[in-house]
Amino acid sequence: MHRYILSIITFFTISNSVYSQSTASVNVSTFTIEAPQLKTFKKIWVYLPEGYKNNTKSYPVFYMHDAQNLFDDDTSYVGEWKIDEYLDSISEKEIIVIGIEHGNENRIDELTPFPNTKYGGGKGDDYLLFIKNTLKPYIDITYRTKPKAINTTIFGSSLGGLLSFYAALKYPDTFGIAGVFSPSFWFSDAILSFIDTTVLNKDTKIFILAGTDESETIVEEINNVIQLLYKNGLSKENVNTVIIDKGKHNEAFWSKYFPQAHQWIIN
């Protein structure tokens, strides 16, 4: 049993009321948009660079899952990624971040491309089509973005890492880059056959992070995936894998290494 399976089950059952007041930057705002593919409405968090209102520049965009955990202790599960604090502190390689709130009891469905016999799921394509066909067009019209795939990253951890990886392979014309933290490749072996039968876009870039203390098999799972990527033609230059000794499956770990991923992606 993977140690971090508990996070999937309890992610949306623990009350946020124990946390303090908002820690989100003034550069973070929210809005709600209809998601017809999911038959619901989604709350979206937007981080705009510090100088956004005072210039006419266009920016790369990171689409990130589990928005409740990215910017604000008050809405987070067990701590935030501090994305806004980090981005507020830099003056180069600025980006727009679009955070998509998870669907609470529907989180497993939304963030898994294939079902698991025990935990269900497998409706990730509906969620990705929401991002691809509804959210991204709205963002590109509303904000000054660089809309091409080469400037569009999809990013997440755990199930969000799994789905981000899948999205970059399935929709490379939309998501040219994937940030893949602590990916739940264990969720279904179908991810391996998917890689093996997919014609990969040679320009796709993938940053993978994991810690050795996340599970007994996570490093092996990642190595199996990487070998398939190389076998199918993705170059080693386009896959950056970082394995951290003693790294654990939590927001503090992901927060610590987000800057490294961001710098490699935007390089």
Side-chain angles (χ1 to χ4, degrees):
M1 175 66 70
H2 293 257
R3 294 179 190 175
Y4 53 86
I5 187 63
L6 253 134
S7 66
I8 297 173
I9 298 170
T10 62
F11 193 94
F12 43 77
T13 61
I14 292 181
S15 169
N16 289 320
S17 62
V18 297
Y19 294 105
S20 59
Q21 64 184 11
S22 174
T23 59
S25 163
V26 295
N27 295 316
V28 176
S29 61
T30 64
F31 69 89
T32 300
I33 188 172
E34 184 177 5
Q37 299 85 349
L38 302 170
K39 298 180 182 178
T40 190
F41 287 81
K42 279 289 187 185
K43 184 177 179 180
I44 307 300
W45 298 58
V46 181
Y47 173 87
L48 296 177
E50 181 75 28
Y52 181 87
K53 293 181 180 179
N54 299 319
N55 64 54
T56 59
K57 291 165 46 178
S58 295
Y59 298 89
V61 181
F62 280 30
Y63 288 87
M64 299 189 69
H65 316 298
D66 296 325
Q68 294 97 320
N69 296 340
L70 301 178
F71 309 107
D72 195 346
D73 263 344
D74 191 43
T75 60
S76 67
Y77 169 48
V78 284
E80 57 153 313
W81 286 40
K82 299 183 180 179
I83 300 291
D84 45 342
E85 284 90 343
Y86 162 65
L87 292 175
D88 281 351
S89 73
I90 64 175
S91 58
E92 341 183 284
K93 300 184 179 179
E94 295 172 306
I95 59 173
I96 292 172
V97 176
I98 305 300
I100 306 149
E101 287 206 352
H102 65 73
N104 295 302
E105 69 275 4
N106 295 319
R107 181 176 182 267
I108 291 177
D109 282 343
E110 292 178 354
L111 297 184
T112 54
F114 309 106
N116 176 285
T117 54
K118 183 176 181 179
Y119 299 107
K123 298 181 180 178
D125 273 308
D126 292 337
Y127 173 79
L128 290 175
L129 288 174
F130 157 65
I131 301 174
K132 177 178 178 289
N133 296 339
T134 300
L135 180 60
K136 187 177 185 301
Y138 175 82
I139 295 299
D140 289 338
I141 290 172
T142 306
Y143 302 99
R144 297 193 309 274
T145 69
K146 294 182 177 180
K148 292 183 178 179
I150 193 173
N151 294 305
T152 304
T153 297
I154 188 161
F155 203 127
S157 62
S158 194
L159 294 181
L162 168 66
L163 193 73
S164 297
F165 175 86
Y166 171 83
L169 269 57
K170 176 131 189 210
Y171 302 111
D173 292 339
T174 300
F175 309 111
I177 309 163
V180 181
F181 278 14
S182 305
S184 300
F185 289 139
W186 61 267
F187 195 83
S188 173
D189 287 341
I191 192 66
L192 298 177
S193 57
F194 170 74
I195 301 168
D196 207 26
T197 57
T198 298
V199 178
L200 302 183
N201 185 315
K202 303 303 187 292
D203 294 325
T204 296
K205 294 176 61 178
I206 302 173
F207 185 102
I208 302 176
L209 170 77
T212 59
D213 281 0
E214 297 196 56
S215 79
E216 294 178 357
T217 59
I218 191 168
V219 175
E220 179 183 357
E221 292 159 1
I222 288 172
N223 286 337
N224 290 340
V225 162
I226 291 172
Q227 291 310 308
L228 281 175
L229 292 177
Y230 294 159
K231 173 188 170 185
N232 285 359
L234 206 60
S235 74
K236 293 184 178 181
E237 292 181 353
N238 280 19
V239 181
N240 189 348
T241 305
V242 178
I243 305 296
I244 303 299
D245 187 44
K246 308 292 187 187
K248 300 183 185 300
H249 193 88
N250 57 43
E251 281 71 18
F253 178 53
W254 302 325
S255 174
K256 181 177 181 178
Y257 288 95
F258 176 80
Q260 182 177 343
H262 163 259
Q263 292 294 322
W264 183 80
I265 288 169
I266 301 300
N267 186 24

